[in-house]
Amino acid sequence: MKNKSIFLIAGIALCAVVLAGAFMFNSSSTIDQFQPTVTDPLAKAKEFNSQNALAFSKTICSLGPRYGGNEAELKAADNMETEFKNNGINAYKEKVDLGNGKYTYNVIGEIKGSESPEKYIIVGSHIDSPGFCEGATDDAAAMGIQTEMARTLSTGYRPKQTILIVGFGGEEMWFKGSDAFVKTHPEIVKNCEAMIDLNCVGAGQQVSLIGHSNQPKPVNGDPKLINIMKQNAKQLGYSAVTGTTTYPSDTYPFYYNSDKVPVLQVMSQPFEVAPWSSANTFDKLNSKDMNKIGQTVTMTILNLTV
């Protein structure tokens, strides 16, 4: 009888331990799944570190010209996908047909929304460069900024909407990657609340918010996005101006679709180096200019999603 009592007590104790462990596991999972909402977007945006962005940009520039689905462009896409994952967010590639047997990739990094995951905020750049240069500002610097944004936003923050950080392939071939994305994901485009595109950044003193571009057809930057970003830049101590440019880059397919998306192209202007130039090399990038763009866009994303 005494032995039975001992076994009964031991059994009850074991069950208690198992239940406690299960509770701790579930509590830990809940904490991981539902991270706290950022209460100070300014402080969070300042976690963006341009040195990390520059390091990845240097890796991309070292590949050489990235154009037409060549080996360098495909390698850049692989590197971007890996860097997103290393920096703590889900990432995957989607193949983009360039014609004549050629292809490239769009690289998509995702931070899932906690309240309205079916709504989207997109931050774009392009993976390719002009076919004759490494394209430091056009657009390796933007890729570096995006991967550092992924690191900054991967901890201590859960957006209400889903954030997609996308590197588009084939931009230099008239926006092939972004056009493919719009056609492949009509449900995302329909529910996209903003598309912010980083193009020709990292060497130019001012954050330039493109209000108008004209080729191949006019594209107008969204006034509300411009105002929000100007306010954020001011809080960070940076100068942001409304500018113009010739080409709309990857905002174009989002702007000209049946569900017209609010778009804004962001540049560093005036250009310290011509984008379409063999002189557009990594050494032209400026860490302060990288921070201006990276922190301003990061703070804008935070304010749009918290």
Side-chain angles (χ1 to χ4, degrees):
M1 189 68 163
K2 184 177 179 181
N3 288 339
K4 287 183 179 179
S5 299
I6 292 171
F7 287 135
L8 179 60
I9 292 169
I12 292 171
L14 180 60
C15 288
V17 170
V18 171
L19 288 171
F23 175 77
M24 290 176 65
F25 175 79
N26 288 335
S27 297
S28 175
S29 299
T30 300
I31 290 170
D32 290 341
Q33 186 177 2
F34 299 106
Q35 298 187 55
T37 298
V38 169
T39 56
D40 188 352
L42 178 63
K44 185 65 176 172
K46 287 184 176 180
E47 293 179 16
F48 179 97
N49 187 332
S50 63
Q51 294 305 313
N52 295 332
L54 281 166
F56 186 72
S57 302
K58 185 174 183 178
T59 297
I60 297 302
C61 287
S62 70
L63 298 173
R66 309 174 300 281
Y67 185 80
N70 67 357
E71 183 178 351
E73 184 175 353
L74 299 182
K75 181 64 175 176
D78 289 340
N79 287 350
M80 191 177 202
E81 181 188 26
T82 298
E83 192 73 3
F84 278 151
K85 292 177 179 178
N86 289 343
N87 283 345
I89 68 171
N90 180 45
Y92 53 95
K93 294 184 300 186
E94 293 184 340
K95 198 170 185 178
V96 177
D97 182 17
L98 297 177
N100 298 317
K102 295 284 188 179
Y103 63 91
T104 184
Y105 291 103
N106 291 332
V107 181
I108 301 165
E110 180 185 56
I111 305 173
K112 201 74 171 177
S114 60
E115 294 185 14
S116 302
E118 77 285 357
K119 302 290 185 181
Y120 295 88
I121 306 290
I122 297 176
V123 181
S125 76
H126 64 89
I127 294 169
D128 57 334
S129 72
F132 53 86
C133 69
E134 64 188 50
T137 67
D138 189 22
D139 212 15
M143 295 171 68
I145 288 170
Q146 287 178 298
T147 55
E148 175 58 7
M149 283 182 66
R151 186 198 68 80
T152 304
L153 298 175
S154 65
T155 59
Y157 162 70
R158 186 78 185 275
K160 291 181 179 179
Q161 305 96 312
T162 296
I163 298 171
L164 299 181
I165 308 177
V166 186
F168 295 108
E171 186 266 358
E172 303 287 352
M173 302 176 71
W174 290 105
F175 329 130
K176 290 282 191 182
S178 51
D179 183 62
F181 182 94
V182 167
K183 290 175 179 175
T184 303
H185 299 287
E187 76 290 350
I188 292 178
V189 176
K190 182 178 180 180
N191 292 291
C192 183
E193 297 181 345
M195 191 279 184
I196 299 170
D197 187 54
L198 311 182
N199 186 42
C200 300
V201 295
Q205 293 184 2
Q206 293 180 319
V207 177
S208 184
L209 311 172
I210 303 303
H212 181 78
S213 58
N214 54 43
Q215 290 187 18
K217 291 191 295 185
V219 171
N220 295 317
D222 183 73
K224 291 183 180 179
L225 287 176
I226 290 172
N227 288 336
I228 291 169
M229 200 166 291
K230 280 186 175 180
Q231 292 171 13
N232 293 335
K234 184 177 181 179
Q235 289 185 58
L236 287 159
Y238 303 139
S239 173
V241 299
T242 304
T244 61
T245 193
T246 303
Y247 300 106
S249 190
D250 289 308
T251 64
Y252 186 86
F254 288 86
Y255 190 80
Y256 283 103
N257 73 89
S258 58
D259 299 294
K260 191 173 181 180
V261 175
V263 301
L264 180 60
Q265 185 180 186
V266 181
M267 291 181 157
S268 296
Q269 289 184 333
F271 297 146
E272 294 293 333
V273 58
W276 275 63
S277 166
S278 58
N280 190 359
T281 49
F282 172 76
D283 58 293
K284 304 302 191 304
L285 298 181
N286 183 294
S287 63
K288 291 182 179 178
D289 295 341
M290 295 280 281
N291 256 343
K292 291 173 187 176
I293 297 291
Q295 292 182 358
T296 301
V297 175
T298 299
M299 188 169 174
T300 299
I301 296 304
L302 289 166
N303 282 322
L304 288 173
T305 58
V306 297

